[in-house]
Amino acid sequence: MKKKLDVVPSVRPSREEAERAVRTLIEYIGEAPAREGLRETPQRVVKAFDEYFHGYALDAAEVLSKTFRDVGSYDGPVLVKNIAVESRCEHHLAPFIGHAHIAYVPDGRVVGLSKLSRLVDVYASRLQTQERLTAEIAAALEKHLKPRGVAVLVEAEHFCMKLRGVGEAHALTVTTRFGGLYKKDAALREDFLKMTKA
Ligand SMILES: [Zn+2]
């Protein structure tokens, strides 16, 4: 039977197997894995992978589980700008690095501001496309916080583009996702875009 490759394997390869795979890649480029500088590289790369992809062990529901009702009479949007984004593209495993700007119009409930950057980390620390990352952040806020509106803008430089493409060294990819009031209300959307640029 043909092995299905589009499902997550039920048994994950061991750490040793992962290190062996890195060694294979080192050999593939014509290097000698046994030379001094490379001897511990497989262990280091697997350890780095643990850090890059720690998002798989995190849960957005948990990050957004604690909300607050006491916001006084404040009824405007909450915007957190310039949240650092460090992710890896699923096509080349190359980093893409930039910022996320997140706004929501609360429906009586807000989350701690630091939770928004933790939410970005949950999804950024996985193999991603910038489009999906943007959509997942918005969807998680809609699902767990149920705001009246949500807006997410991500801008990032993709190293797979920077390093390989001619003239793409400074290309910035911008993705947006709007939900609820931000979808219906053009003025609110304009405000968000203006504030993220300021
Ligand atoms: Zn890429």
Side-chain angles (χ1 to χ4, degrees):
M1 215 170 79
K2 225 174 141 202
K3 204 175 159 198
K4 270 196 106 172
L5 291 174
D6 58 347
V7 291
V8 176
S10 52
V11 180
R12 283 170 62 172
S14 68
R15 201 168 187 88
E16 288 69 33
E17 286 173 306
E19 289 168 4
R20 213 173 304 136
V22 176
R23 217 166 290 129
T24 302
L25 283 174
I26 291 172
E27 286 171 346
Y28 172 73
I29 60 168
E31 266 283 6
R35 78 171 168 82
E36 203 190 334
L38 292 175
R39 216 170 291 156
E40 287 177 21
T41 298
Q43 288 98 303
R44 280 190 293 257
V45 170
V46 172
K47 196 168 165 228
F49 262 50
D50 287 340
E51 286 161 22
Y52 300 158
F53 301 112
H54 68 264
Y56 291 106
L58 301 175
D59 183 9
E62 205 182 305
V63 169
L64 297 175
S65 62
K66 212 171 158 207
T67 58
F68 303 93
R69 286 202 165 273
D70 185 18
V71 288
S73 58
Y74 187 80
D75 62 354
V78 178
L79 166 68
V80 179
K81 278 172 61 165
N82 297 324
I83 298 168
V85 168
E86 190 193 320
S87 191
R88 258 105 200 140
C89 86
E90 65 184 27
H91 302 128
H92 308 94
L93 309 189
F96 64 93
I97 287 172
H99 294 95
H101 313 293
I102 301 176
Y104 66 96
V105 180
D107 191 10
R109 290 198 303 162
V110 296
V111 279
L113 299 177
S114 67
K115 296 295 159 66
L116 295 182
S117 58
R118 282 194 55 208
L119 179 66
V120 170
D121 184 50
V122 168
Y123 293 114
S125 301
R126 302 177 183 195
L127 279 181
Q128 274 295 7
T129 65
Q130 189 177 323
E131 295 86 339
R132 192 198 304 126
L133 173 64
T134 309
E136 283 179 340
I137 294 166
L141 281 166
E142 282 180 329
K143 184 172 175 197
H144 301 294
L145 191 60
K146 298 189 172 57
R148 296 174 63 213
V150 63
V152 179
L153 186 150
V154 177
E155 47 192 2
E157 287 189 311
H158 290 246
F159 280 64
C160 55
M161 254 172 108
K162 268 175 102 70
L163 302 178
R164 304 176 337 147
V166 181
E168 310 291 358
H170 301 288
L172 198 62
T173 304
V174 181
T175 45
T176 54
R177 180 80 163 209
F178 300 105
L181 286 182
Y182 281 95
K183 214 169 194 167
K184 290 177 218 140
D185 188 335
L188 191 65
R189 206 161 53 231
E190 281 310 308
D191 258 6
F192 168 76
L193 294 171
K194 215 179 288 163
M195 281 195 285
T196 57
K197 260 175 234 147

